[in-house]
Amino acid sequence: MKFPQADQILVEIQNANPQNKEELEAFRIKYLGSKNIVKPLFAEMGKIDPAQRKDYGQLLNEIKNTAEEKYRKLKSEIERESARHSTQKLDLTAPPLPRKKGSRHPVDIVMNRVIDIFKKIGFSLAEDREIEDDWHNFTAMNTPEDHPARDMQDTYYLRDIEGMLLRTHTSSVQARVMTHQKPPIRIIAPGRVYRNETISARSHCQFHQVEGLYIDKEVSFSDLKQTLLYYAREMYGPDAKIRLRPSYFPFTEPSAEVDVYWGLESEIDHRITKGTGWLEIMGCGMVDPKVLTNCGIDPEEYSGFAFGMGIERQALLAYRIEDIRWLFENDIRFLRQFHAAI
Ligand code: PHE
């Protein structure tokens, strides 16, 4: 050992092992502070044999660097350790803060109820595209171009793609399914549809429908009636009454509109049923043989019924919402109210 005092300090630093903040601070003061014990050694320089001064200087630098490096390393280790300890001090038995749960959209809630009701009697789910071609939305549904019934549904056509449109009804899914599946077919098709209508409290340019289609041998109008009565009783209560009024749709023959009895007790009842007590909930009918033929199903062998209902209307009624526009504005204050529902 050429420089016993300095060598000893170096060894001391190498062996030092501060365990906590206090010990580390003591280490810092001793070796790196303004009155550290290395300083006096620099003052010794003049007493060192000139031939050895270079080595001495290097040793002192090594001492300084070793102390600095050790301090830096231990500091970050100790800090990390103490952060870990402070999380361990959390009371893990404390009840968690309430987490804000999302809520389902009222349209979704009603749509799921409708789907569940039909699932129970064997209808399976069919979903398809919202950007549809003219054929599936209209032509297959017995509404060729220039057919006056096209005026019933004011359509958004795609500007850049000839023959493409936003589907105006979920009946397009009927065509999609019938051209791909062999009867018996029993499907329910929920989804969003679009019509170029003026937006008001009562109508919107986008809304949702649920379509039903049943094709098999010897399906009759009474099967349709019974199915719809079952739906009305599940949806509106066991005493629900329905009535069918003759109507017209190009894709069904005969066609009907279905009303459910709402009652005429309050002023609101008068208002929403326009004084009749009856509320229109859907369109329906026996699938027109031409539609079957268009989709490759033999109308001599098979028959079927179809129905299509709007969802927003039923959601407005179920939750007594006065304006359909609320359903599309995504105002969190409005949507939060539907928390309790599944
Ligand atoms: N597609 C019709 C509409 O949107 C509803 C409907 C569906 C009517 C199926 C009859 C049969 O108005």
Side-chain angles (χ1 to χ4, degrees):
M1 294 226 280
K2 279 199 269 181
F3 313 105
Q5 220 186 336
D7 281 329
Q8 200 199 324
I9 291 180
L10 181 60
V11 173
E12 237 177 71
I13 291 173
Q14 283 162 344
N15 292 339
N17 193 15
Q19 291 295 310
N20 52 41
K21 269 191 185 153
E22 291 72 33
E23 289 177 20
L24 184 68
E25 182 60 4
F27 175 92
R28 189 190 66 78
I29 292 169
K30 186 167 180 191
Y31 301 107
L32 298 165
S34 57
K35 292 181 187 157
N36 69 64
I37 63 167
V38 192
K39 267 191 182 167
L41 299 184
F42 280 95
E44 303 279 300
M45 193 66 90
K47 297 182 194 157
I48 302 290
D49 173 359
Q52 293 188 345
R53 271 189 202 153
K54 196 176 160 213
D55 289 350
Y56 186 67
Q58 274 174 355
L59 178 60
L60 293 190
N61 272 337
E62 193 188 343
I63 290 174
K64 211 176 131 226
N65 293 340
T66 311
E68 271 172 5
E69 205 178 297
K70 185 148 198 164
Y71 175 72
R72 219 177 308 121
K73 205 170 133 221
L74 286 171
K75 188 167 183 251
S76 74
E77 267 171 30
I78 287 173
E79 274 169 5
R80 214 176 315 130
E81 186 69 4
S82 83
R84 206 166 62 87
H85 271 286
S86 66
T87 45
Q88 277 173 356
K89 272 189 215 129
L90 284 177
D91 178 4
L92 297 180
T93 63
L97 292 172
R99 179 132 44 105
K100 283 213 175 80
K101 264 196 280 171
S103 53
R104 278 204 178 279
H105 194 283
V107 167
D108 219 27
I109 296 169
V110 172
M111 198 142 88
N112 284 342
R113 265 185 73 191
V114 175
I115 292 168
D116 282 346
I117 291 170
F118 285 102
K119 265 191 179 166
K120 269 199 247 169
I121 52 169
F123 282 78
S124 56
L125 208 65
E127 281 175 299
D128 223 295
R129 65 214 71 189
E130 290 175 21
I131 299 175
E132 196 38 286
D133 57 50
D134 199 287
W135 191 83
H136 287 91
N137 194 82
F138 285 127
T139 309
M141 290 290 109
N142 198 30
T143 322
E145 226 168 308
D146 301 330
H147 194 290
R150 285 214 181 189
D151 290 346
M152 289 166 76
Q153 302 178 354
D154 216 344
T155 311
Y156 286 116
Y157 288 92
L158 266 63
R159 198 192 306 145
D160 299 328
I161 312 172
E162 176 74 25
M164 297 297 281
L165 46 83
L166 297 182
R167 69 178 175 194
T168 56
H169 53 184
T170 41
S171 301
S172 57
V173 184
Q174 285 190 37
R176 290 270 165 204
V177 171
M178 283 193 277
T179 47
H180 282 96
Q181 242 169 271
K182 292 224 164 325
I185 292 170
R186 190 157 39 181
I187 54 121
I188 197 90
R192 197 193 296 255
V193 300
Y194 304 83
R195 288 185 203 174
N196 189 2
E197 272 170 33
T198 313
I199 298 173
S200 71
R202 309 237 100 217
S203 69
H204 210 284
C205 59
Q206 54 171 331
F207 52 99
H208 295 75
Q209 290 188 328
V210 171
E211 187 91 5
L213 175 70
Y214 178 36
I215 312 273
D216 205 346
K217 289 182 176 149
E218 291 168 11
V219 177
S220 69
F221 199 87
S222 63
D223 294 324
L224 169 61
K225 245 168 68 181
Q226 210 52 38
T227 305
L228 298 180
L229 183 60
Y230 156 79
Y231 167 74
R233 290 188 170 160
E234 290 285 312
M235 192 72 179
Y236 295 97
D239 299 325
K241 282 185 286 191
I242 58 167
R243 72 176 186 191
L244 275 68
R245 279 178 295 110
S247 184
Y248 171 78
F249 298 103
F251 29 88
T252 46
E253 183 58 38
S255 304
E257 234 135 5
V258 185
D259 297 343
V260 64
Y261 192 67
W262 183 256
L264 262 185
E265 275 152 39
S266 70
E267 213 180 296
I268 298 173
D269 295 343
H270 272 270
R271 188 155 52 86
I272 60 176
T273 66
K274 294 185 189 128
T276 64
W278 293 92
L279 207 65
E280 185 199 317
I281 55 165
M282 67 176 115
C284 69
M286 300 306 291
V287 179
D288 193 300
K290 283 198 216 101
V291 173
L292 295 176
T293 311
N294 289 345
C295 297
I297 291 172
D298 183 2
E300 298 293 324
E301 200 180 349
Y302 292 104
S303 57
F305 65 70
F307 55 87
M309 64 178 89
I311 297 302
E312 276 73 7
R313 182 98 187 273
Q314 299 186 70
L316 297 189
L317 291 170
Y319 295 107
R320 310 226 163 242
I321 302 165
E322 283 173 17
D323 193 322
I324 193 171
R325 288 169 290 197
W326 283 105
L327 295 173
F328 297 104
E329 274 167 18
N330 283 336
D331 186 327
I332 201 85
R333 293 167 303 175
F334 168 75
L335 294 174
R336 267 207 201 115
Q337 300 176 84
F338 304 95
H339 248 272
I342 1 102

